[in-house]
Amino acid sequence: MAPHDIRRPFKRAAISDQQKRRELSLLRQAQNRRDAQQQARCLASSILSLQSAAPESQPEQSDIELETVPEAEQESEAFSKDLDVRQASKLRGPEVRKWFARQLMLPEWMIDVPDRLAQDWYVFARPAGKRCFVVSSNGTTVSRQRNGSILHHFPSALPAGAKIRDGSGSAQSYCILDCIFHELDQTYYVIDMVCWNGYSLYDCTAEFRFYWLNSKLEESGACNAPSHYHKFRFSAVPVYNCDQSGLHAAYTGVVPYAKDGLLFYNKHALYQTGNTPLALVWKDENCSQFVIDTDGKGEIPSQQQVVLELQDDRKLVTSDDPPVLFGCLDGDIIEKSGLHTGNLLRFAIGDGGLSFVDGKLEKADLIYLGKSNRARAFADSYSKGFQLKSL
Amino acid sequence: MAMEVTQVLLHAQSIDGAVRKNAEDSLKQFQEQNLPVFLVSLSGELANEEKPVETRKLAGLVLKNALDAKEQHRKFELVQRWLSLDGNAKSQIKACLLTTLTSPVSDARSTASQVIAKVAGIELPHKQWPELIGSLLSNVHQLPAQAKQATLETLGYLCEEVSPDVIDQDQVNKILTAVVQGMSSSEGNTDVRLAATRALYNALGFAQANFSNDMERDYIMRVVCEATLSPEVRIRQAAFECLVSISSTYYEKLAPYIQDIFNITAKAVREDEEPVALQAIEFWSSICDEEIDILEEYGGDFTGDSDIPCFYFIKQALPALVPMLLETLLKQEEDQDQDEGAWNIAMAGGTCLGLVARTVGDDIVPLVVPFIEENISKPDWRQREAATYAFGSILEGPSPEKLIPLVNVALTFMLSALTKDPNSHVKDTTAWTLGRIFEFLHGSVVDSPIISQANCQQIITVLLQSMKDTPNVAEKACGALYFLAQGYEEMGPSSPLTPFFQEIVQSLLTVTHREDAGESRLRTAAYETLNEVVRCSTDETAPLVLQLVPVIMMELHNTLEGQKLSSDEREKQSELQGLLCGCLQVIIQKLGASEPTKYVFMQYADQIMGLFLRVFACRSATVHEEAMLAIGALAYATGADFAKYMPEFYRYLEMGLQNFEEYQVCAVTVGVVGDISRALEEKIVPYCDGIMTQLLKNLSSNQLHRSVKPPIFSCFGDIALAVGEYFEKYLLWAMSALQSAAELSTHIAGDDELVEYTNSLRNGILEAYSGIFQGFKNSPKTQLLIPYAPHILQFLDGIYMEKDMDDVVMKTAIGVLGDLADTLGSHAGSMIQQSVSSKDFLNECLSSEDLMIKESAEWAKLAISRAISV
């Protein structure tokens, strides 16, 4: 029996770089697996939260009832909702389009003047540009357009928006902003704030959200000029009460951006995803250069167009909830063009225009043009059609 | 019935290759034709005093190889074969073996000892050969010295071969009595005493009960300590080996003896021959290992219910132990740093000093500092080197507050010594010490930084300069740079290394091209440092990392050019390819982590993949693994576009999955299948048949290392999530494999290692369920999963009840509950409501402090409430 070897490692690192590489690979794979799993799950929970959100937003649900809900539960609801948006930034393909399409609050066209406009509403001039969600988390910032496609991926001074070692970069911190990217001055105009530094504002009134937006955005340094770790400038927009002077200021006031209509927000409304009558848009030639649709080259097509969704029974409906019926499609066309339920179709509005009886659409003169652009996620709303008519 | 094997065995040792080959073939043929006769003949040859010693030895060796093999699978076969062998033959063989123990020829006896132990190793666990130990011991006192020595040696081997629970305490007592008597000073024969001492080393594991008995333990300890004073050096060495073994096996019994042992070891370290002194130092290193483990496990506060208390032997011995170890540092050998296999008293002493520092922390500093000050600038290189080594050794353990003032003083001195000291040995240790300084006292964990803008430049200049020194010094300089870079990881957007990045990378690449980069693992060190520099780089230097891509690609390309390589060259080529693939993996992972750099990097993807495929074509296992790891990173970065590489890559993927022998390769490949599933999503479908078939095969194999099985289950989940309802094809097989593994993984009691394995297995199973359920969600085939739900809920109940799951399993498990509810909806609702523990489990997770568990639980709650409400 030979003596036993007692040599110990001498002047050597305890772990080999190869072992380190293996372990780092495993870590990355575990992280990717978690992300994939989260994606699959959050697709579901976004649908869940939409379904459960609907009754909650109804005004008849009293405050008393809300208070009986244990606090922890409310928190968790908000938490899972926020989580969805952050995780959804990682989705791909058609799923992401579907997902993001349903996350933004979308104004209806203003077709009459709401009651108590002066008391209960804000107004501001909408910047012309790309509407998008800006999400900052884990040291990076991503902006996504309504169809889910990434506009920019960049470092920003938003909390958790860049890899900078200061207190703000904790894993739990993130922001979600509702923005319009204005090409000309390369600025993100923040029109609403959904989450700030890990704090959810979904369930806060517009009044609070706008107050928070104005104080926090400036504070964060996000309004500063671009720098290496802050690639794009952010800016709030001037928001006015809807009284005479406020309306005047919004309508005619000079702003650093090209205007695209006026947005009206109800002060008491929570941030609600999808179309809502609590946010309204008005456009005319004085406050928007895009008062009517333009085509890809910026030219005005000879006829105005509308995109509608084809339903089972050949009916054509808007994206409103409940959908508004615009017309029916011939079985003939459906067969010839190989159309399916759910397809989004583009129509021109013919000379007959839209006729209304008692404020309800009776008949629309629609001319089928073809399938809508694939990047499109949903049909136009009824109020768009309505405003087209009013032009 | 025995046959004549002498001639063949002689030929089998012939120097003539053809003759040898012929003889080996004949032996093989004999064995295949009639195994019992063949083995009996071999044992007869071994026992026959008239045969030449070489054939007797070889006969024993062939016999031994017929009983045991290194490879687990083969070993199992041989055991089964012996157990089913004809009983008569076995009796004859055993008789021959026992007879040989009394042979006058020492080689024959020794060979027989080993074969007996092998047979015992097979038979004793099966309660066969019960008379063996009795017959070995029956007349050990009356035997002539040679036979006594052989008997003791046999007992030693036997204890090495057999596990303690196989031998009952009565027999253990008899073995120990015989062994300890053989060791005692009254035994006049040196060979007998040596054999007994070595046998005790192996028998110590059997002596649990005896060490719990004060009298017996005192007796054994006295005999061992006496043996350390034997005039025969081999006996002293063997006795110290016993002490080393006792120090770890019976740490908690040592208190009464520790003072005596210190005296014995101190004398040996100072006066005895090196092999003995090395064991004496090892005793204290081993005590350090024990105390470090105990202190780590209990965090320093002891409560009455701790398994093993810390006796603070090192702390108590400190005032005497440290000076003794410092003395050893001055006994360096010339050129020990150029000799890979060197191990001498200075090295052992320094290593022990490092362990002592980790054991006692701050207390060691005042004992070592005077030695450093006294020696660091002496004219004799041994003193300078010893002082530097002492300093380097105590940098891990003591608090930064205690060390940083010293380091601030020493840093400039060290930097100057690294460039100016005339002695290479001193420079080697200085560079190593700088590396230790950066490893333990530099980075975000330390409050007051030792590196400022002012000295950063100087440090880098000195290290890059030293990379041109002799290979061993350059290797240590690379190591120091590795830790310097590591300390700047997560430093924020701007790293102090940025201004030097280009120069550092260039210097490292230059090192890899040195003629002598093969010595002292210099080339490996340079690439490892390059990897770390890249890993810790910031966005500022991303363009420079991008520039590195074509450079490394060209290097890899160059390794593929050589034709007709000798086996030595081939090995070097494959090692270099491994380093380059490793470097590319790190770069891909770095650049793939952010969108803008990934986008630019992708222009190289096709070419890189082409290179990896060519590396595979060279076929060598280590490269295979490195290239495979790199491909995983590439697949993640490439996403769905990776599909275009699949037709060519697939066969290597399959090859990797089939590599059972190198299970690391298999495990890495399984991980890459996961990467590819996530990257390709439904585009992986054409390859699923092959992959799933192979994975299922792997699961059912006994030859595959068990650590690969949990990742295979996780991989099922990855595939299912990627392909959705298409997974239906494999559902039956996958679910049945999961079900039987799930059953195995509950109701397991065992040691920590088994619990850990069980948890990793559960996690794999649960990840598979998650992937499958989420994959099938919103598909018309969801109902296919309903029949499996009761079992899964039962499995979840099971692991909840067992109470030994870790946080990872908890998080995955509660997620699966949510997935089940989410996918099956109302079908799952009632089952979940009826399940034994779902509600408790959910509540426990909801109130968990672990954010990941909480997050999963919140989600599960949402999904379940919906499933129940509809």
Side-chain angles (χ1 to χ4, degrees):
Chain A
M1 278 187 282
H4 296 83
D5 192 7
I6 47 165
R7 253 175 296 194
R8 285 170 180 259
F10 180 70
K11 289 187 183 176
R12 285 270 180 277
I15 174 174
S16 78
D17 196 71
Q18 186 188 29
Q19 187 56 27
K20 183 167 180 169
R21 277 200 299 284
R22 270 191 207 124
E23 284 167 12
L24 288 174
S25 281
L26 286 176
L27 274 179
R28 177 184 57 71
Q29 284 163 349
Q31 179 63 47
N32 295 158
R33 180 175 294 130
R34 267 203 299 277
D35 289 351
Q37 200 57 249
Q38 278 289 2
Q39 274 180 30
R41 285 175 184 167
C42 84
L43 273 181
S45 49
S46 67
I47 295 163
L48 299 190
S49 55
L50 279 178
Q51 286 178 351
S52 60
E56 265 173 26
S57 61
Q58 280 164 13
E60 52 265 38
Q61 246 195 351
S62 69
D63 289 350
I64 304 153
E65 210 180 315
L66 275 175
E67 274 166 16
T68 59
V69 179
E71 233 174 282
E73 225 169 271
Q74 277 191 343
E75 256 172 39
S76 78
E77 280 281 329
F79 184 46
S80 57
K81 215 191 289 178
D82 305 344
L83 181 83
D84 296 344
V85 181
R86 279 192 297 159
Q87 296 298 329
S89 323
K90 294 171 186 156
L91 295 179
R92 286 190 224 140
E95 284 160 354
V96 77
R97 252 175 251 142
K98 259 188 264 168
W99 200 90
F100 269 89
R102 307 202 182 281
Q103 297 311 307
L104 283 164
M105 177 150 100
L106 304 173
E108 290 191 359
W109 292 86
M110 186 182 250
I111 38 187
D112 60 5
V113 178
D115 291 340
R116 295 174 55 83
L117 181 73
Q119 293 80 22
D120 289 349
W121 293 73
Y122 286 127
V123 62
F124 59 91
R126 176 161 84 169
K130 294 178 177 131
R131 177 85 182 275
C132 53
F133 249 146
V134 175
V135 179
S136 70
S137 77
N138 282 325
T140 188
T141 309
V142 179
S143 55
R144 281 189 185 265
Q145 302 184 59
R146 264 177 80 177
N147 64 9
S149 65
I150 292 184
L151 181 60
H152 298 121
H153 192 142
F154 60 105
S156 76
L158 295 172
K163 291 200 170 71
I164 302 173
R165 205 169 61 141
D166 62 2
S168 67
S170 91
Q172 297 311 311
S173 132
Y174 59 94
C175 297
I176 303 167
L177 303 178
D178 184 346
C179 295
I180 292 171
F181 183 69
H182 188 251
E183 285 283 350
L184 215 61
D185 60 356
Q186 294 282 300
T187 298
Y188 279 96
Y189 286 94
V190 185
I191 60 167
D192 211 331
M193 184 176 266
V194 183
C195 289
W196 184 259
N197 213 349
Y199 181 68
S200 168
L201 296 157
Y202 272 103
D203 299 328
C204 300
T205 62
E207 198 168 9
F208 182 79
R209 295 200 309 275
F210 286 161
Y211 158 74
W212 206 247
L213 191 165
N214 276 306
S215 55
K216 293 293 167 186
L217 193 68
E218 183 68 43
E219 213 175 283
S220 71
C223 302
N224 296 345
S227 61
H228 193 77
Y229 294 102
H230 178 54
K231 202 167 162 200
F232 294 103
R233 199 163 68 96
F234 284 77
S235 176
V237 294
V239 176
Y240 306 97
N241 283 318
C242 251
D243 50 28
Q244 195 69 33
S245 67
L247 274 169
H248 184 76
Y251 193 71
T252 60
V254 179
V255 279
Y257 49 84
K259 287 186 199 174
D260 182 19
L262 297 181
L263 278 172
F264 296 82
Y265 273 55
N266 186 296
K267 290 180 184 177
H268 310 296
L270 311 183
Y271 193 94
Q272 189 189 337
T273 56
N275 285 105
T276 169
L278 297 177
L280 302 169
V281 59
W282 174 262
K283 288 191 191 189
D284 63 32
E285 50 278 294
N286 291 325
C287 65
S288 172
Q289 46 182 318
F290 307 108
V291 61
I292 37 183
D293 278 0
T294 51
D295 65 13
K297 292 177 196 134
E299 282 160 19
I300 301 168
S302 54
Q303 289 166 320
Q304 283 299 294
Q305 298 179 358
V306 60
V307 173
L308 299 170
E309 184 178 336
L310 178 65
Q311 298 229 313
D312 277 344
D313 43 13
R314 298 188 287 124
K315 282 177 181 155
L316 296 165
V317 296
T318 64
S319 69
D320 301 85
D321 187 20
V324 176
L325 177 67
F326 254 59
C328 265
L329 208 56
D330 279 351
D332 235 22
I333 298 185
I334 297 179
E335 243 167 67
K336 270 190 216 150
S337 331
L339 300 177
H340 301 288
T341 304
N343 276 163
L344 299 180
L345 311 178
R346 184 169 285 277
F347 293 89
I349 297 174
D351 299 335
L354 309 168
S355 7
F356 293 82
V357 172
D358 295 339
K360 286 202 171 153
L361 180 72
E362 193 192 60
K363 146 179 150 222
D365 181 9
L366 296 176
I367 302 156
Y368 176 60
L369 294 176
K371 282 201 216 178
S372 147
N373 186 330
R374 265 164 44 88
R376 183 115 187 182
F378 46 82
D380 282 332
S381 70
Y382 168 64
S383 54
K384 171 170 178 181
F386 204 168
Q387 193 172 41
L388 286 176
K389 176 240 166 195
S390 68
L391 279 171
Chain B
M1 69 183 245
M3 56 194 181
E4 180 58 38
V5 289
T6 314
Q7 209 53 42
V8 188
L9 288 170
L10 275 176
H11 285 162
Q13 296 170 84
S14 162
I15 40 166
D16 182 338
V19 175
R20 205 167 58 234
K21 171 90 174 46
N22 206 355
E24 281 164 3
D25 288 347
S26 308
L27 285 174
K28 213 171 157 197
Q29 215 179 339
F30 286 162
Q31 176 159 355
E32 279 160 14
Q33 277 166 2
N34 195 336
L35 183 70
V37 172
F38 177 66
L39 297 180
V40 168
S41 311
L42 290 172
S43 65
E45 181 81 12
L46 176 61
N48 192 335
E49 299 298 338
E50 281 152 30
K51 297 292 182 183
V53 61
E54 313 86 78
T55 60
R56 294 180 72 181
K57 256 175 78 176
L58 187 57
L61 201 66
V62 175
L63 189 53
K64 192 174 111 178
N65 289 341
L67 296 166
D68 195 13
K70 276 211 178 96
E71 198 232 318
Q72 210 51 41
H73 190 62
R74 173 85 184 136
K75 183 182 178 132
F76 182 75
E77 279 174 10
L78 293 177
V79 167
Q80 293 308 314
R81 194 178 74 172
W82 174 263
L83 287 171
S84 58
L85 199 71
D86 169 59
N88 264 331
K90 283 195 281 196
S91 305
Q92 280 187 59
I93 293 166
K94 290 183 213 168
C96 285
L97 291 170
L98 289 170
T99 314
T100 313
L101 288 182
T102 58
S103 164
V105 181
S106 110
D107 279 341
R109 293 197 305 271
S110 177
T111 309
S113 294
Q114 296 175 44
V115 182
I116 291 171
K118 292 292 174 197
V119 175
I122 296 173
E123 295 203 345
L124 296 191
H126 290 88
K127 307 265 178 248
Q128 295 174 14
W129 212 3
E131 70 283 9
L132 169 66
I133 293 169
S135 65
L136 282 173
L137 294 172
S138 62
N139 52 354
V140 73
H141 305 297
Q142 290 110 53
L143 287 173
Q146 291 170 345
K148 200 169 171 182
Q149 176 256 343
T151 302
L152 288 167
E153 198 174 326
T154 308
L155 289 172
Y157 284 127
L158 189 142
C159 290
E160 196 174 21
E161 223 36 70
V162 180
S163 97
D165 54 346
V166 166
I167 301 181
D168 62 48
Q169 187 59 40
D170 181 44
Q171 291 198 314
V172 169
N173 291 343
K174 284 184 185 149
I175 293 173
L176 282 171
T177 307
V179 167
V180 175
Q181 272 175 10
M183 274 180 80
S184 73
S185 46
S186 61
E187 173 59 57
N189 184 295
T190 303
D191 290 337
V192 171
R193 208 173 164 198
L194 179 62
T197 311
R198 288 180 175 169
L200 179 69
Y201 179 91
N202 287 334
L204 281 168
F206 291 68
Q208 246 6 295
N210 313 79
F211 262 81
S212 301
N213 177 312
D214 290 352
M215 275 198 12
E216 290 184 38
R217 185 182 62 241
D218 282 348
Y219 180 59
I220 296 172
M221 289 302 292
R222 202 187 76 221
V223 172
V224 173
C225 289
E226 276 172 15
T228 66
L229 305 172
S230 156
E232 167 57 43
V233 62
R234 288 175 303 160
I235 294 176
R236 294 201 301 277
Q237 185 184 355
F240 273 112
E241 283 188 48
C242 289
L243 279 182
V244 170
S245 170
I246 290 168
S247 70
S248 59
T249 316
Y250 301 108
Y251 168 84
E252 73 278 16
K253 309 279 189 208
L254 278 180
Y257 317 105
I258 201 76
Q259 184 61 48
D260 288 341
I261 295 176
F262 179 80
N263 295 336
I264 295 169
T265 51
K267 190 167 153 51
V269 170
R270 292 199 167 102
E271 298 166 15
D272 212 328
E273 293 180 41
E274 188 162 69
V276 184
L278 286 174
Q279 293 292 343
I281 294 173
E282 179 61 18
F283 173 85
W284 291 102
S285 291
S286 168
I287 295 284
C288 288
D289 287 344
E290 290 303 311
E291 298 197 342
I292 289 168
D293 278 357
I294 296 169
L295 294 171
E296 257 175 20
E297 190 161 343
Y298 301 122
D301 351 293
F302 289 101
T303 51
D305 51 61
S306 302
D307 284 353
I308 299 173
C310 184
F311 288 95
Y312 299 100
F313 293 139
I314 298 295
K315 206 177 161 98
Q316 289 160 35
L318 207 57
L321 187 60
V322 171
M324 173 187 95
L325 293 172
L326 290 172
E327 277 173 45
T328 65
L329 299 185
L330 293 157
K331 299 183 180 171
Q332 309 96 324
E333 288 175 309
E334 303 273 353
D335 297 334
Q336 71 181 33
D337 280 328
Q338 271 107 64
D339 177 5
E340 291 270 328
W343 184 246
N344 58 44
I345 191 163
M347 296 165 94
T351 305
C352 187
L353 190 67
L355 290 166
V356 171
R358 286 177 54 200
T359 313
V360 302
D362 287 358
D363 292 351
I364 199 171
V365 177
L367 295 170
V368 173
V369 167
F371 178 83
I372 301 170
E373 288 171 346
E374 165 75 22
N375 291 289
I376 194 89
S377 26
K378 281 279 157 60
D380 181 357
W381 72 265
R382 288 176 189 279
Q383 289 175 287
R384 296 197 305 278
E385 198 277 338
T388 314
Y389 194 52
F391 186 45
S393 296
I394 63 166
L395 289 169
E396 186 187 8
S399 62
E401 298 75 53
K402 194 90 179 169
L403 292 173
I404 282 175
L406 293 174
V407 168
N408 282 331
V409 174
L411 198 54
T412 318
F413 184 91
M414 296 275 157
L415 291 171
S416 144
L418 186 50
T419 43
K420 300 205 184 86
D421 199 289
N423 181 279
S424 159
H425 198 142
V426 174
K427 285 197 275 189
D428 181 297
T429 304
T430 304
W432 171 77
T433 301
L434 283 169
R436 301 260 296 175
I437 290 174
F438 302 147
E439 183 177 3
F440 300 111
L441 297 167
H442 154 62
S444 50
V445 284
V446 183
D447 288 335
S448 52
I450 49 163
I451 303 174
S452 61
Q453 217 167 3
N455 62 10
C456 188
Q457 161 103 54
Q458 192 202 358
I459 290 169
I460 289 166
T461 308
V462 168
L463 291 180
L464 298 191
Q465 180 63 35
S466 291
M467 283 186 209
K468 297 176 188 145
D469 211 315
T470 53
N472 58 306
V473 175
E475 186 241 348
K476 305 294 185 305
C478 288
L481 192 56
Y482 184 103
F483 290 114
L484 184 72
Q486 188 174 76
Y488 287 126
E489 199 178 10
E490 324 228 319
M491 263 305 192
S494 182
S495 164
L497 290 188
T498 298
F500 312 104
F501 189 86
Q502 185 94 319
E503 200 187 347
I504 290 172
V505 168
Q506 201 47 56
S507 301
L508 287 167
L509 289 173
T510 308
V511 170
T512 64
H513 292 133
R514 279 174 58 155
E515 286 282 321
D516 54 3
E519 294 169 35
S520 297
R521 53 184 290 290
L522 178 57
R523 183 177 289 115
T524 306
Y527 276 117
E528 290 182 345
T529 304
L530 183 59
N531 292 347
E532 191 66 6
V533 167
V534 169
R535 269 195 287 258
C536 301
S537 66
T538 64
D539 291 349
E540 292 172 313
T541 39
L544 298 176
V545 175
L546 265 167
Q547 286 174 19
L548 197 52
V549 178
V551 176
I552 304 294
M553 280 169 62
M554 185 49 80
E555 299 275 343
L556 187 55
H557 176 83
N558 291 341
T559 69
L560 296 162
E561 293 302 282
Q563 296 292 314
K564 300 234 171 83
L565 301 171
S566 69
S567 72
D568 190 37
E569 286 167 326
R570 186 171 293 280
E571 198 180 316
K572 281 191 179 140
Q573 174 209 37
S574 107
E575 197 184 316
L576 182 56
Q577 288 171 346
L579 293 171
L580 292 164
C581 289
C583 187
L584 283 172
Q585 184 208 343
V586 171
I587 294 175
I588 294 169
Q589 209 152 324
K590 183 78 190 175
L591 296 176
S594 101
E595 289 294 330
T597 50
K598 181 163 92 180
Y599 181 75
V600 188
F601 163 77
M602 287 325 278
Q603 62 178 312
Y604 297 113
D606 287 358
Q607 280 172 286
I608 291 190
M609 191 62 197
L611 286 170
F612 290 154
L613 291 169
R614 288 180 63 193
V615 170
F616 280 130
C618 297
R619 283 189 58 108
S620 156
T622 61
V623 164
H624 196 159
E625 181 183 350
E626 290 286 3
M628 195 55 89
L629 275 169
I631 284 176
L634 188 67
Y636 170 58
T638 320
D641 281 348
F642 193 84
K644 64 181 167 182
Y645 308 128
M646 283 304 284
E648 258 195 283
F649 172 56
Y650 177 72
R651 64 197 182 103
Y652 298 113
L653 193 72
E654 203 166 54
M655 220 187 275
L657 293 177
Q658 286 162 349
N659 196 342
F660 289 6
E661 290 82 47
E662 288 149 313
Y663 69 89
Q664 287 277 21
V665 174
C666 188
V668 160
T669 312
V670 170
V672 170
V673 172
D675 282 327
I676 292 175
S677 308
R678 282 181 291 273
L680 297 188
E681 298 190 325
E682 66 282 0
K683 286 188 192 159
I684 201 176
V685 163
Y687 307 98
C688 273
D689 280 2
I691 293 172
M692 283 301 295
T693 309
Q694 190 57 47
L695 290 178
L696 285 162
K697 236 189 244 175
N698 287 11
L699 281 177
S700 61
S701 160
N702 295 321
Q703 290 174 59
L704 183 62
H705 195 275
R706 70 175 188 179
S707 69
V708 189
K709 296 191 177 176
I712 290 179
F713 286 124
S714 305
C715 191
F716 281 177
D718 298 338
I719 293 172
L721 195 56
V723 303
E725 64 178 39
Y726 180 81
F727 197 78
E728 177 190 0
K729 244 177 126 173
Y730 318 110
L731 194 62
L732 189 65
W733 306 110
M735 282 300 197
S736 103
L738 284 163
Q739 200 156 333
S740 46
E743 273 154 22
L744 271 179
S745 82
T746 38
H747 317 300
I748 283 188
D751 54 13
D752 291 353
E753 201 188 334
L754 188 62
V755 172
E756 197 180 316
Y757 176 73
T758 305
N759 273 320
S760 78
L761 188 61
R762 287 170 181 167
N763 192 56
I765 295 167
L766 291 165
E767 285 185 333
Y769 285 140
S770 259
I772 292 171
F773 273 87
Q774 287 299 337
F776 271 77
K777 187 168 61 184
N778 301 333
S779 124
K781 295 184 176 164
T782 310
Q783 86 285 350
L784 290 174
L785 298 177
I786 297 174
Y788 302 107
H791 170 77
I792 294 169
L793 286 168
Q794 220 179 326
F795 176 51
L796 292 173
D797 279 342
I799 49 180
Y800 178 70
M801 309 287 203
E802 297 268 313
K803 298 283 175 213
D804 59 356
M805 67 180 138
D806 58 25
D807 283 355
V808 180
V809 172
M810 195 169 190
K811 188 220 144 222
T812 324
I814 201 66
V816 168
L817 194 63
D819 295 327
L820 196 90
D822 187 25
T823 298
L824 298 186
S826 57
H827 297 290
S830 56
M831 281 192 265
I832 290 173
Q833 276 175 313
Q834 285 157 26
S835 85
V836 186
S837 54
S838 291
K839 199 164 176 246
D840 296 341
F841 191 11
L842 183 62
N843 285 333
E844 198 174 314
C845 292
L846 283 169
S847 57
S848 167
E849 303 208 334
D850 183 309
L851 270 181
M852 303 262 267
I853 294 177
K854 217 180 148 115
E855 203 174 281
S856 285
E858 298 284 5
W859 182 79
K861 187 179 141 193
L862 204 66
I864 293 169
S865 64
R866 187 178 68 133
I868 290 174
S869 70
V870 287

